[in-house]
Amino acid sequence: MTDCHDPADTLVGDRVMIEDLRIPAYIGVYTHEKGRTQTVSLCLEIGLPSQVCFRSDAVEHTIDYGAVAGSLRALAVSRHFNLIEFFAEQVSRVVLEQFGALWVKVRIRKIRVVPGAEYVGVAITRLNKRVSGERAAGFEGAREASAHGVVATIASE
């Protein structure tokens, strides 16, 4: 028996979630989809870059899901996207680059566009290469110290 492993399941840490954000988007490859918006559903899990927000109770110390939603609404109508795969990649870039997330899981669904199906969609996971490299180095050091019997603590920001 072969075990299936989803690498996205290995993403740990605190996160902000946006579930079933329904927004209009210019999206679709077919002629009847051009020149009009369709409602898409976005679900996101966004890896927080620090734990400061849990102590500060201040929105400037977290990823503001209202601001993320606003940016994604603007993105969805900024141009026509042929493929939801390409749109998902652009969504991930906005979250990683504009909001400094450690990682993001994006799931996008087009609702009732295929007869007999509630939705069609795509799911992607992306890491922030600028941030994850620094974090990975810190975690590697902690693992190495732990392997040698040294208790290591990684301080949060």
Side-chain angles (χ1 to χ4, degrees), residues 68-145:
V68 171
S71 291
L72 299 181
R73 280 187 181 98
L75 173 67
V77 294
S78 67
R79 56 161 284 190
H80 185 88
F81 297 92
N82 287 320
L83 302 175
I84 57 174
E85 294 85 348
F86 183 78
F87 181 54
E89 185 67 29
Q90 301 315 302
V91 166
S92 74
R93 287 183 180 184
V94 166
V95 174
L96 296 173
E97 294 172 8
Q98 290 182 19
F99 295 95
L102 291 179
W103 52 266
V104 63
K105 292 182 183 182
V106 176
R107 190 174 64 218
I108 300 178
R109 298 171 174 171
K110 288 172 61 178
I111 302 162
R112 295 186 191 106
V113 296
V114 172
E118 183 64 25
Y119 64 85
V120 297
V122 64
I124 66 171
T125 301
R126 297 293 182 264
L127 301 175
N128 188 332
K129 290 180 176 51
R130 289 182 300 145
V131 177
S132 62
E134 297 164 15
R135 298 283 178 159
F139 285 115
E140 232 7 85
R143 265 192 231 112
E144 188 175 302

Side-chain angles (χ1 to χ4, degrees), residues 22-27 37-40 72-77 87:
R22 293 185 180 222
I23 60 174
Y26 289 110
I27 195 159
T37 62
Q38 297 181 61
T39 299
V40 295
L72 299 181
R73 280 187 181 98
L75 173 67
V77 294
F87 181 54

Side-chain angles (χ1 to χ4, degrees), residues 45-64:
E45 288 186 44
I46 304 167
L48 291 171
S50 85
Q51 294 180 336
V52 172
C53 61
F54 298 102
R55 296 183 300 277
S56 73
D57 198 26
V59 71
E60 61 269 12
H61 293 143
T62 191
I63 294 177
D64 181 346

